[in-house]
Amino acid sequence: MLYRENGQFKTSYAADLALFPIAQDRWAMGALVALAFVAVPWLASDYTFRAVLIPFLILSLAAIGLNVLVGYCGQISLGTGAFMAVGAYAAFNLQVRFEGMPLILSLIGGGLAATVCGVLFGLPSLRIRGLYLAVATLAAQFFIDWFTNRVKWVTNDSPSGSVSVGPLRVFGFDVSSPVQKYLLCLTLAAVLALAAKNLVRGAIGREWMAMRDMDVAAAVIGIRPVYAKLSAFAVSSFIVGVAGALWAFVHLGAWEPAAFGIDKSFQLLFMIIIGGLGSIAGSFLGAAFIVLLPLLLNHLPHWLGLPISTGTASQLEHMIFGALIVFFLIVEPHGLAKLWSTGRQKLRLWPFPH
């Protein structure tokens, strides 16, 4: 009864095409934004910010970027970790080589560097597809790993290969406490998620989805594959590059090339598969699943008072985690976003059966 659309009449195309056409959705989203920006900074602990909320927001942002490419445009990518590394190291070099470079401009510069790299490695998508494209993007991962390990200029001639960032400042304000870092990540995640949502709802998003569904038919009706595919690589790489810079600057503080290895690429791919391909909300749900579930499985034996050693608990965590991933893929192959969409649809029709 609380999710009915009775009496909600739309009198213009703008109202019909609104981001949240149902009033209850607008209220729920407003409450969620107020909770995230106002309530959480007052209620959460420093550990929650560092171990849960900040990684969740940054990985959600990276998952949105990957979902633009894989979920909406249908171009398989296994080099997301490499594009995160490009964003991180480009932002780092902007900071160390230009005195007084603002943090926001460094993050944007990291995203732009990742965009150039993503477009270059996206050129093979004009000729190949499927698993062959996945191998081509995997080559980006190996090349960037080699480049960041061997070219000392990237790490500012660091003998150990690891780099670190100094104090963070945004518009003259220090960003040092966990709350301040959380608000920075939340703001950027909200802005880029809204931008991505509007892109996929517009003409360019329809071109991406046409290429995903059947690229030959899309070319026949006038969609240019060069523009559609490379624009998807550009937008995806920019968002992923900003996420990589945030991961390095805000979450890690100091890192080495192994921080953006191939395991990061697979982790992000699992996020969008579990959360839901072709869904911005699915990116957040998949990131929450990947970030929160290991923490829950790690602490559950201690909460229940079970005498389990650390090694056994670690192996049990991986086993349960893998089993739950397989379970979700069998029960709902379209991801957690589809479960959420089905629940909303049933609420709209309740108490009627169909």
Side-chain angles (χ1 to χ4, degrees), residues 289-319:
F289 183 89
I290 296 294
V291 171
L292 297 178
L293 187 62
L295 293 174
L296 177 63
L297 295 177
N298 190 34
H299 290 85
L300 189 60
H302 301 286
W303 293 341
L304 298 177
L306 299 177
I308 299 178
S309 63
T310 304
T312 304
S314 177
Q315 297 299 324
L316 188 62
E317 173 189 336
H318 287 87
M319 292 170 59

Side-chain angles (χ1 to χ4, degrees), residues 15 46 61 65 68 78 102 110 115 136 154 193 198 218 239 249 270 304 313 330 337:
D46 288 352
L61 186 58
V68 166
L78 296 178
T115 300
V154 175
N198 283 305
I239 297 175
F249 278 55
F270 294 155
L304 298 177
I330 293 174

Side-chain angles (χ1 to χ4, degrees), residues 127-170:
R127 293 292 184 181
I128 59 178
R129 68 185 74 175
L131 294 176
Y132 298 98
L133 180 59
V135 173
T137 56
L138 188 61
Q141 181 70 58
F142 294 137
F143 174 77
I144 297 300
D145 286 347
W146 172 85
F147 190 80
T148 53
N149 274 292
R150 298 297 181 182
V151 180
K152 297 299 183 183
W153 180 87
V154 175
T155 59
N156 198 27
D157 298 320
S158 173
S160 64
S162 62
V163 297
S164 60
V165 296
L168 305 180
R169 295 180 63 86
V170 176

Side-chain angles (χ1 to χ4, degrees), residues 272-274 276-277 327-336 338:
I272 64 172
I273 291 175
I274 294 171
L277 292 171
F327 171 78
F328 273 110
L329 293 180
I330 293 174
V331 173
E332 184 48 76
H334 296 290
L336 298 175
K338 181 62 176 179

Side-chain angles (χ1 to χ4, degrees), residues 21 35 46 66 93 123 146-147 169 182 216 276 285 339 342:
L35 178 68
D46 288 352
L66 182 59
N93 278 275
L123 290 174
W146 172 85
F147 190 80
R169 295 180 63 86
Y182 161 77
V216 176
L285 295 175
L339 293 176
T342 303

